[in-house]
Amino acid sequence: MASIMTNAAALTALQSLNATNKALETTQGRISTGYRVATASDNAAYWSIATSMRSDNQALSAVQDALGLGAGKVDTAYTAITQIKDQVDAIKTKLVTARGASQDNQQKIATEIKAIQDQIKSSVTNASYAGSNLLRNDGTTASDLQIVASYNRTGTTVSIDTITVKSADTQVLDVAGTGGIVGGLLATGFFDPSTTAVSDANIDTALASVETALAKLATGAAYLGAAKSRIDTQKSFLSNLSDSIDKGVGALVDADMNKESTRLQALQVQQQLGIQALSIANGNSQSILALFKS
């Protein structure tokens, strides 16, 4: 029924055009932001989940940074302690050579041992990374190295795990230079033929101290090596976990750009057709009014 009071065709065309414009606006927003769920109003549940996952991923990024810092400390200590072990091995060789040697030769060997002792001290001192030295006690109460290794969430409860490197296992020397694994080997008079030849019995005692130190150094290196391996494994795991979380978030909120681009083209055509339909509906009303004027 044609009516001059109500243009039903125009109203229908206008409603269709408004719906098309709204869908077009949504699609354009998705293309411009890259998200199909950009705000809570788009999908409250997905937005909330994605927000929590992004927050946890930022925490994992901080954990990876902490692991990187910890890895630097452990790597530095591991490199130094293996070098120190080699240096103590060198002392062992010199002591074996000194056994039964003349005082003159022992004095020459003592000079070589003194150079090795100085090098050990230097290796311990230089085993510092980011202000931390795992091989030397700074004179205060020794504290274990705690490396943040993971950030865990169970519902609303979160926890942080750490990788611990015990100072008792890695303290090669104290600040005074007399304590720790090699403190006794660096003490004044450890091997001193300056006044008289050192007896074989004394050399054997020194060799026993060297063997004890070597065993402890090997244990310390093993602990540091195990910590290094665990850190590397955890870094790799967290990197993969972070990627998985990113993919999970993307599956929830990212827009399918191919789909949205195709939809945009379709909606633009619909918009043009809607404008034409509205124009036609309005044109029909004008035709009816023209009949009355004539």
Side-chain angles (χ1 to χ4, degrees):
M1 179 184 70
S3 171
I4 63 172
M5 302 301 295
T6 304
N7 189 340
L11 291 176
T12 300
L14 183 59
Q15 290 174 356
S16 178
L17 181 60
N18 285 338
T20 299
N21 287 339
K22 184 176 181 180
L24 185 60
E25 181 181 354
T26 299
T27 300
Q28 288 174 330
R30 290 176 178 178
I31 291 175
S32 63
T33 63
Y35 295 114
R36 66 185 178 90
V37 181
T39 64
S41 60
D42 295 328
N43 187 314
Y46 282 5
W47 181 86
S48 178
I49 293 171
T51 298
S52 295
M53 292 175 71
R54 287 192 185 106
S55 176
D56 287 351
N57 224 11
Q58 289 178 352
L60 289 180
S61 178
V63 172
Q64 291 182 70
D65 291 341
L67 282 170
L69 180 61
K73 294 178 180 180
V74 172
D75 284 346
T76 299
Y78 178 79
T79 299
I81 200 171
T82 53
Q83 289 180 347
I84 291 168
K85 181 180 178 300
D86 291 342
Q87 291 154 7
V88 174
D89 270 328
I91 290 179
K92 176 181 174 179
T93 301
K94 299 299 180 185
L95 288 174
V96 172
T97 303
R99 199 176 189 280
S102 66
Q103 182 182 2
D104 183 59
N105 284 336
Q106 285 185 349
Q107 288 175 345
K108 295 175 181 177
I109 292 171
T111 300
E112 294 174 329
I113 290 177
K114 177 62 169 59
I116 296 172
Q117 289 172 323
D118 290 342
Q119 182 57 47
I120 290 174
K121 292 178 183 178
S122 177
S123 295
V124 174
T125 301
N126 292 330
S128 181
Y129 184 93
S132 178
N133 191 325
L134 302 183
L135 304 187
R136 185 179 66 178
N137 186 331
D138 61 3
T140 61
T141 302
S143 58
D144 299 338
L145 175 65
Q146 302 284 343
I147 303 171
V148 175
S150 68
Y151 178 87
N152 312 306
R153 175 189 292 276
T154 304
T156 58
T157 303
V158 298
S159 61
I160 293 176
D161 293 334
T162 59
I163 295 173
T164 301
V165 180
K166 295 183 178 180
S167 60
D169 298 326
T170 62
Q171 184 183 327
V172 174
L173 197 63
D174 64 10
V175 69
T178 56
I181 296 174
V182 301
L185 306 185
L186 306 184
T188 301
F190 168 73
F191 180 72
D192 183 13
S194 58
T195 58
T196 184
V198 179
S199 68
D200 289 346
N202 288 338
I203 291 177
D204 289 344
T205 299
L207 282 170
S209 298
V210 168
E211 290 294 348
T212 300
L214 284 173
K216 291 181 178 180
L217 287 170
T219 299
Y223 279 124
L224 288 170
K228 180 179 182 295
S229 178
R230 185 180 174 190
I231 290 172
D232 291 342
T233 300
Q234 187 67 3
K235 285 171 64 179
S236 178
F237 167 72
L238 289 182
S239 178
N240 293 333
L241 179 60
S242 180
D243 290 344
S244 296
I245 291 176
D246 283 338
K247 291 177 183 177
V249 171
L252 289 177
V253 302
D254 286 358
D256 184 334
M257 300 305 288
N258 290 331
K259 179 180 178 181
E260 298 301 335
S261 296
T262 301
R263 182 172 175 78
L264 176 64
Q265 294 177 3
L267 288 171
Q268 288 173 337
V269 172
Q270 291 179 29
Q271 183 186 50
Q272 294 172 0
L273 293 175
I275 293 172
Q276 292 178 2
L278 181 60
S279 177
I280 291 170
N282 287 330
N284 290 337
S285 296
Q286 295 296 327
S287 298
I288 294 173
L289 292 174
L291 291 175
F292 287 97
K293 290 180 180 179
S294 60

